Amino acid sequence: MHAFQCIETYKETGKGLKQSALNSMLPKLKKQEETKWLKDCYSQVLQSVSLNLSRAYQNFFVRVAWPIGQGRAEYPRFKSYHHRQSIQYPQNVKQLGNCLKFPGKLGVVKAVIHRPLDGEIKTVTVSKTPSGKYYASVLMEYEGTSVESSTNGKVVGIDLGIKDFAITYDGEKTSKFSNPKHLVKYEKKLAKKQRIAARKKKGSSGRKKARKIVAKVYERIGNVRQDYLHKLSRKIVDNNQVVVVENLNVKGMVSNHKLAKAISDLGWGTFVNFISYKCEKEGKVIIEINRWFPSSKTCSNCHYRIKELPLDVRFWTCPSCGIQHDRDGNAAKNIRAEGIRMLSSSGTGEVNASGEEVRPRRGRPSKLRHSSVFA
């Protein structure tokens, strides 16, 4: 009902409704026959929905104000009923042994708590997955636990690819981590379950059960993918002090219909996020170099840059020094060297434990930036 009122207001005035205006509508909605079920909801949960809706419109208006149509967000859309559903408890949630106590009628709920809740509990988001499972994401506040970051240690460069998921170079050796191709392994099973669901009558209980089975297969794929990304990111962060990656434009890359499925299955963005928060937690550093940096087309030995390098060319020989390069291994070396150059130019101190010299790169200087993990 809030959303419909916002839509009507925007059509008539070109403006959105503030949170205070949305909250003032709640008492009337609770008295109406169609929406009297809102009485069963905890009042702060409803106010949290109002806050999220007003923020969505604020982000959209920021985008409209930009002259070239760029900004924070598109026009707010309704969430699909078939996707993940969630509510937020902004306060008053407590832990009681192996249970969580929610305010209002929900009360005490038994939970599998896999991590100690040793901070001050702030916001708790309860979500329901398409497969019917419930999760509680707990946001906690800690005091005096920030770790000062240091760049004194081992530096590793990571090139992300499709043939091999990740190629790393730490100054001594090049390591390749294969593409697990999670979606391919479950593709036949997924297609079978989807065909069964498609044959069911729309709106029937049989179709609902079949859709839940399809959702469980998707959930399994997602869990296997996250498990792989967590383990690999943990291994990289444990063995290095500085991690250098490319700032890839994944959204633009998936526009290539031939590679879209393979790129989406890899989860590059999630992998970099996992590395970021692990580094931040342990006082380590992640550096993102510009996506236009020619890591594959530049010789890591003499810095000669070739003009073209098609995707199907996996090995090439440098015309200047004659060294033969593995495309991905050479890219990882250049990414690492560029990360070291960035740290040296920013005046953060010694970053190379072995003391090797960082040579300047030929050609146009790239526009490089540190990751938002430092913000």
Side-chain angles (χ1 to χ4, degrees), residues 93 117-124 138-143:
V93 178
L117 305 179
D118 50 359
E120 182 184 354
I121 298 178
K122 306 298 284 186
T123 302
V124 178
V138 183
L139 176 65
M140 291 180 292
E141 185 178 52
Y142 295 88
E143 293 184 3

Side-chain angles (χ1 to χ4, degrees), residues 1-6 16-30 38 41-59 61 76 79 86-90:
M1 296 300 291
H2 280 67
F4 287 120
Q5 190 67 39
C6 284
L17 293 175
K18 294 183 179 180
Q19 184 189 6
S20 57
L22 294 171
N23 287 340
S24 65
M25 296 166 54
L26 290 173
K28 295 180 181 179
L29 291 173
K30 291 179 180 179
L38 290 173
C41 299
Y42 183 55
S43 60
Q44 290 192 4
V45 170
L46 298 177
Q47 292 173 17
S48 179
V49 174
S50 300
L51 176 62
N52 292 336
L53 183 58
S54 62
R55 281 179 177 173
Y57 271 90
Q58 289 174 12
N59 291 335
F61 289 130
K79 289 185 178 180
S86 64
I87 58 172
Q88 288 183 331
Y89 287 84

Side-chain angles (χ1 to χ4, degrees), residues 182-240:
H182 305 294
L183 187 59
V184 174
K185 295 177 182 178
Y186 289 88
E187 212 161 21
K188 289 184 178 179
K189 183 177 182 179
L190 182 61
K192 180 181 178 182
K193 302 300 181 184
Q194 286 175 327
R195 284 196 301 270
I196 294 173
R199 295 192 189 106
K200 302 293 183 180
K201 185 179 179 180
K202 290 186 178 180
S204 65
S205 59
R207 188 180 180 89
K208 291 180 181 179
K209 290 180 181 178
R211 288 181 67 93
K212 185 174 287 189
I213 293 173
V214 173
K216 286 182 179 180
V217 178
Y218 273 116
E219 188 177 87
R220 174 65 177 172
I221 296 171
N223 290 341
V224 172
R225 182 187 293 118
Q226 283 215 348
D227 180 70
Y228 178 79
L229 298 179
H230 270 301
K231 288 178 178 177
L232 181 56
S233 60
R234 171 51 59 196
K235 182 177 181 179
I236 290 172
V237 172
D238 284 350
N239 295 334
N240 301 279

